[in-house]
Amino acid sequence: MAEIVYMPKLSDTMTEGVVAEWIKKVGDKVSSGEVLAEIETDKATMEFESFYDGVLLHIGVEKGKAAPVNEILAIIGEEGEDISALLTSKPAQAKESASAKEEPKVEEKQPVVESKSQTVNVPTSSASIPAANVSGKITASPLARKLAEERGIDINFVQGTGEGGRITKRDVDHYVPYEAPARSNNVSAAASGVESFEDTPVSQMRKVIARRLAESKFSAPHFYLTLDIDMDNAISARKAMNSQEGVKVSFNDMVIKAVAMSLRKHPTINSAWMGDFIRRNDHVHIGVAVAVDEGLLVPVVRFADTKGFTTIGAEVREFAQKAKDKKLQPSEWEGNTFTISNLGMFGIESFTAIVNPPDSCIMAVGGIKEVPVVKNGQIVPGNVMKITLSCDHRVVDGASGAAFLQTFKGYMENPVSMLL
């Protein structure tokens, strides 16, 4: 008997997935536990294994296309088996999630949305330019209009193939933006009189980053605390540690360790807003922001307060490589109780970061800068690092955040104390 394979929910924040690659094709034999496809989630590209034995009879989501969780991904059954009934009626558990996303097949019953549009003037060129709708109104299905808005597509330039020229989901899916003809490098866009742009589809990762950070910024009342750290002793300590064979310690490793030990002394900072209650975590899991092409991933160093500099450094380097290769697993990016974002290596002196839910705080770490400082009444050269703590005021008060930063400052300015 044929079995439906649904788009899986591969992370706690995943609402839809993109098929990055089909490992099997229609007609191939499939065994339980065999990789069926590679699915791009909001955070990584993961291998998806089949739960069934049989033949791949149907692919429901083509390579490069997105589908909501619980949408039909594939059908596996016996060779030659009739699956028409499965394709025409969705099981109950899939209907609820699919109904909001799928455009009805019977287009005559689809409501028509009309809206006024502005006349759009486009530069003329010998190249083929899609004609804009300048008739005064456009007709499009609600789903087509919604998809066009999400993808940044001007609906005026989409050619409708439905009844009476109505724009459908299919038209939006197949829309290709006009590309201006190539110009010589010595001719500026302004001089040629041609406007050009490039539309890039929003990745699953970028969608979730936008949603989660917007929710954090506009729902959590942020306040910020900035402090200067004297890094002279940290520089000397790091140089001494790295002089040992096989040892490689970065300033970021020292920051992670100092934060972790400080959280032990200030559990309020290691807490989370849960709506009806505040969760105070006894464990210390540090999320470390890692930049990738499509945004940020935050792998987690677990029980960081119990680990040494070299162990922390090795984990962070491994996570960074996995993040760039899109190989991070859910267990490696979930469960953070505090987050660190370090832009010091890019020459950034200071910045503020948005709290990473469900954490109540995130620390933004700037670069080390040589500046004049006062020591023993004398102005001398010194190395200073600026850090800014962003706090969710629903959980953390100013005095609590300041006390935490003073403890952190003590560890960074006297690194030996972290080894005791």
Side-chain angles (χ1 to χ4, degrees), residues 296-326:
L296 283 176
L297 288 174
V298 186
V300 179
V301 179
R302 301 181 185 280
F303 305 104
D305 55 319
T306 66
K307 297 176 179 177
F309 297 133
T310 55
T311 301
I312 290 172
E315 286 191 23
V316 172
R317 287 192 294 274
E318 181 182 0
F319 286 149
Q321 189 58 52
K322 283 186 175 182
K324 288 177 172 59
D325 296 338
K326 290 191 173 182

Side-chain angles (χ1 to χ4, degrees), residues 125-347:
S125 169
S126 58
S128 177
I129 303 177
N133 185 310
V134 294
S135 62
K137 68 177 182 178
I138 57 175
T139 59
S141 70
L143 181 58
R145 186 176 295 280
K146 181 173 182 292
L147 288 175
E149 182 179 355
E150 289 177 350
R151 298 174 186 178
I153 296 174
D154 188 339
I155 200 105
N156 291 283
F157 289 95
V158 179
Q159 299 300 311
T161 60
E163 184 179 354
R166 185 166 61 88
I167 299 168
T168 66
K169 173 180 180 294
R170 186 183 302 105
D171 299 323
V172 177
D173 286 338
H174 290 85
Y175 172 73
V176 178
Y178 162 69
E179 295 184 2
R183 301 188 302 273
S184 173
N185 290 336
N186 60 358
V187 180
S188 67
S192 67
V194 176
E195 295 180 354
S196 64
F197 58 87
E198 179 183 358
D199 292 330
T200 303
V202 180
S203 68
Q204 298 301 104
M205 182 187 301
R206 179 56 64 183
K207 287 180 182 178
V208 173
I209 289 173
R211 176 173 57 80
R212 285 174 59 83
L213 292 186
E215 289 173 355
S216 173
K217 184 66 175 178
F218 298 119
S219 65
H222 285 52
F223 72 91
Y224 310 95
L225 302 172
T226 301
L227 198 64
D228 288 344
I229 308 294
D230 183 345
M231 293 294 288
D232 285 347
N233 289 338
I235 291 171
S236 299
R238 176 174 178 265
K239 183 177 180 181
M241 287 185 283
N242 286 346
S243 66
Q244 304 300 310
E245 185 177 356
V247 175
K248 185 178 181 180
V249 175
S250 70
F251 291 115
N252 196 54
D253 303 335
M254 300 172 76
V255 168
I256 294 171
K257 178 66 173 178
V259 164
M261 294 184 68
S262 300
L263 290 173
R264 272 291 180 202
K265 295 185 176 182
H266 302 275
T268 298
I269 310 301
N270 199 41
S271 300
W273 177 261
M274 306 300 291
D276 295 333
F277 60 93
I278 294 173
R279 174 169 294 163
R280 180 170 294 185
N281 297 294
D282 296 324
H283 56 279
V284 176
H285 292 348
I286 305 296
V288 182
V290 175
V292 294
D293 290 341
E294 297 175 344
L296 283 176
L297 288 174
V298 186
V300 179
V301 179
R302 301 181 185 280
F303 305 104
D305 55 319
T306 66
K307 297 176 179 177
F309 297 133
T310 55
T311 301
I312 290 172
E315 286 191 23
V316 172
R317 287 192 294 274
E318 181 182 0
F319 286 149
Q321 189 58 52
K322 283 186 175 182
K324 288 177 172 59
D325 296 338
K326 290 191 173 182
K327 298 298 183 183
L328 277 177
Q329 298 301 305
S331 60
E332 295 171 322
W333 72 60
E334 296 172 347
N336 46 285
T337 62
F338 186 98
T339 303
I340 295 172
S341 180
N342 190 340
L343 293 179
M345 65 286 292
F346 298 106

Side-chain angles (χ1 to χ4, degrees), residues 403-417:
F404 166 79
L405 287 183
Q406 288 301 321
T407 301
F408 171 78
K409 178 181 175 74
Y411 282 129
M412 290 301 298
E413 294 186 347
N414 186 22
V416 175
S417 61

Side-chain angles (χ1 to χ4, degrees), residues 13-225:
T13 57
M14 178 178 171
T15 57
E16 66 177 7
V18 174
V19 176
E21 189 69 52
W22 278 104
I23 306 303
K24 297 291 185 179
K25 61 181 183 293
V26 173
D28 285 353
K29 291 185 177 180
V30 180
S31 299
S32 178
E34 203 170 5
V35 176
L36 191 63
E38 293 181 353
I39 307 295
E40 180 188 345
T41 72
D42 51 313
K43 297 180 179 177
T45 299
M46 305 174 68
E47 294 180 341
F48 177 59
E49 298 178 354
S50 172
F51 298 108
Y52 309 110
D53 296 320
V55 174
L56 182 57
L57 302 176
H58 172 75
I59 287 178
V61 183
E62 297 297 327
K63 176 182 175 181
K65 297 295 185 180
V69 170
N70 287 333
E71 182 63 276
I72 294 179
L73 182 65
I75 297 178
I76 296 174
E78 297 179 2
E79 187 172 0
E81 186 173 355
D82 183 7
I83 60 171
S84 57
L86 294 178
L87 293 175
T88 55
S89 62
K90 294 182 181 295
Q93 64 265 35
K95 282 186 177 179
E96 183 177 351
S97 63
S99 61
K101 297 287 184 179
E102 186 185 35
E103 184 174 17
K105 297 182 182 299
V106 184
E107 294 194 353
E108 295 78 37
K109 296 182 180 180
Q110 182 77 6
V112 175
V113 177
E114 297 187 0
S115 68
K116 298 294 181 181
S117 64
Q118 299 295 325
T119 300
V120 180
N121 296 318
V122 295
T124 59
S125 169
S126 58
S128 177
I129 303 177
N133 185 310
V134 294
S135 62
K137 68 177 182 178
I138 57 175
T139 59
S141 70
L143 181 58
R145 186 176 295 280
K146 181 173 182 292
L147 288 175
E149 182 179 355
E150 289 177 350
R151 298 174 186 178
I153 296 174
D154 188 339
I155 200 105
N156 291 283
F157 289 95
V158 179
Q159 299 300 311
T161 60
E163 184 179 354
R166 185 166 61 88
I167 299 168
T168 66
K169 173 180 180 294
R170 186 183 302 105
D171 299 323
V172 177
D173 286 338
H174 290 85
Y175 172 73
V176 178
Y178 162 69
E179 295 184 2
R183 301 188 302 273
S184 173
N185 290 336
N186 60 358
V187 180
S188 67
S192 67
V194 176
E195 295 180 354
S196 64
F197 58 87
E198 179 183 358
D199 292 330
T200 303
V202 180
S203 68
Q204 298 301 104
M205 182 187 301
R206 179 56 64 183
K207 287 180 182 178
V208 173
I209 289 173
R211 176 173 57 80
R212 285 174 59 83
L213 292 186
E215 289 173 355
S216 173
K217 184 66 175 178
F218 298 119
S219 65
H222 285 52
F223 72 91
Y224 310 95
L225 302 172

Side-chain angles (χ1 to χ4, degrees), residues 336-369:
N336 46 285
T337 62
F338 186 98
T339 303
I340 295 172
S341 180
N342 190 340
L343 293 179
M345 65 286 292
F346 298 106
I348 301 301
E349 182 178 349
S350 65
F351 67 105
T352 58
I354 299 174
V355 171
N356 179 31
D359 299 351
S360 60
C361 295
I362 183 172
M363 179 180 286
V365 181
I368 300 172
K369 186 176 182 180

